[in-house]
Amino acid sequence: MVIRSVELETVAGVTSALPKNQLPEVAFAGRSNVGKSSLINALMNRKSYARTSSQPGKTQTINYYRINDQIYCVDLPGYGFARVSREEKEAWGKMIEKYLVTSEQLAAVFLLLDIRHRPNANDKQMFDWIQYMGYQAIVIATKADKIKRSQIPGQLRQMKEELKADEDTIIIPFSALTKQGREDIWDLMDQVIEN
Ligand code: GTP
Ligand code: MG
C-alpha cells in the first residue's frame, strides 16, 4: 500500500463520544510499553506520528490515524501499567472496553505481545475476549530485534501454547527497528480494506 496521507483524530477520556466513522478500523491493543505506537509509526513509515516513550503509559487517549481515506489504525492506551493510580487504570480499561464493544467499524484487532515474555493474565484475557467478541485475534510478537533470529520460532510456538491459540492463529514477529513483519501486517490491512 502506498501511503498518501495520514490524519490524526484523538478521542480523550471515557465520556467522549467515539467518532462515527464510515471507514473500516483496525485496532492495536496490548500492555503498556509493548510497542503499539512504535508499530503504528513503522507501518506509516513515519518516525514520530504516534508519540512513543520508554516510560509505560505514554498513550492515554484513543488515537485514530486515518490513512488515505481508506482505513483507520486505532492506537489504544496500554493496559496493565502498574505505576498509575487504580482510578486511572480503571478509566483506561473502561476506555479500551468501550471502544472495543461499541465501535461499529472495527474489523480486526491486533494483540501485541513482547516476543521475549510469556503472556500474562491480562494478555490471555484480552486474547480470549477478542475472540469472544467475534474478531479474529491476530497476534503481533513485538521487539523481535531483541532476540536472536534462531530463537524466534520457539518463542512464537511457546506464545501460541500459553494462549491456547488455535493452530491457524496468525502470529507475526515484528520489529519497529528492522521493520521485520511490516509487509505481513499491511497485507492483513489490505484484506480488511478490500472486504
Ligand atoms: P503505551 O503508549 O504506554 O501503551 O506504550 P506503547 O505500547 O505505545 O509502546 P511505545 O511504542 O511507546 O514503545 C515503548 C518503548 O519500546 C519505546 O522505548 C520504544 O522505543 C521501544 N520499542 C518499541 N518497539 C520496539 C522494537 O520493535 N524494538 C525495540 N528494540 N524497541 C522497541
Ligand atoms: Mg502508545
Side-chain angles (χ1 to χ4, degrees), residues 58-73:
K58 181 67 186 174
T59 308
Q60 305 191 1
T61 53
I62 298 178
N63 298 319
Y64 291 73
Y65 295 88
R66 190 172 71 234
I67 298 173
N68 296 350
D69 289 322
Q70 283 185 304
I71 192 168
Y72 280 94
C73 285

Side-chain angles (χ1 to χ4, degrees), residues 33-38 52-54 57-59 78 143 145-146 176:
N33 215 41
V34 71
K36 298 175 294 297
S37 298
S38 300
T52 65
S53 167
S54 55
K58 181 67 186 174
T59 308
K143 310 195 184 182
D145 57 278
K146 297 255 196 188

Side-chain angles (χ1 to χ4, degrees), residues 63-164:
N63 298 319
Y64 291 73
Y65 295 88
R66 190 172 71 234
I67 298 173
N68 296 350
D69 289 322
Q70 283 185 304
I71 192 168
Y72 280 94
C73 285
V74 181
D75 188 10
L76 295 170
Y79 53 76
F81 172 40
R83 280 202 307 270
V84 294
S85 68
R86 193 165 55 85
E87 287 77 15
E88 259 180 307
K89 241 189 270 180
E90 277 175 11
W92 294 357
K94 281 202 190 108
M95 201 153 62
I96 297 167
E97 190 182 314
K98 179 182 162 190
Y99 169 75
L100 292 173
V101 171
T102 61
S103 174
E104 286 172 9
Q105 297 298 329
L106 184 60
V109 182
F110 292 93
L111 176 61
L112 277 66
L113 302 172
D114 190 314
I115 200 162
R116 297 168 294 175
H117 307 312
R118 323 172 78 131
N120 69 11
N122 283 331
D123 297 326
K124 290 178 189 173
Q125 196 182 4
M126 184 59 93
F127 180 78
D128 292 342
W129 198 76
I130 290 167
Q131 300 186 101
Y132 172 77
M133 292 295 291
Y135 300 106
Q136 185 190 6
I138 302 161
V139 177
I140 300 178
T142 63
K143 310 195 184 182
D145 57 278
K146 297 255 196 188
I147 63 174
K148 292 200 198 99
R149 258 179 187 276
S150 59
Q151 295 177 308
I152 292 177
Q155 288 299 104
L156 300 185
R157 202 174 326 113
Q158 194 192 38
M159 246 177 205
K160 239 180 191 172
E161 277 169 22
E162 299 258 338
L163 292 169
K164 300 191 172 64

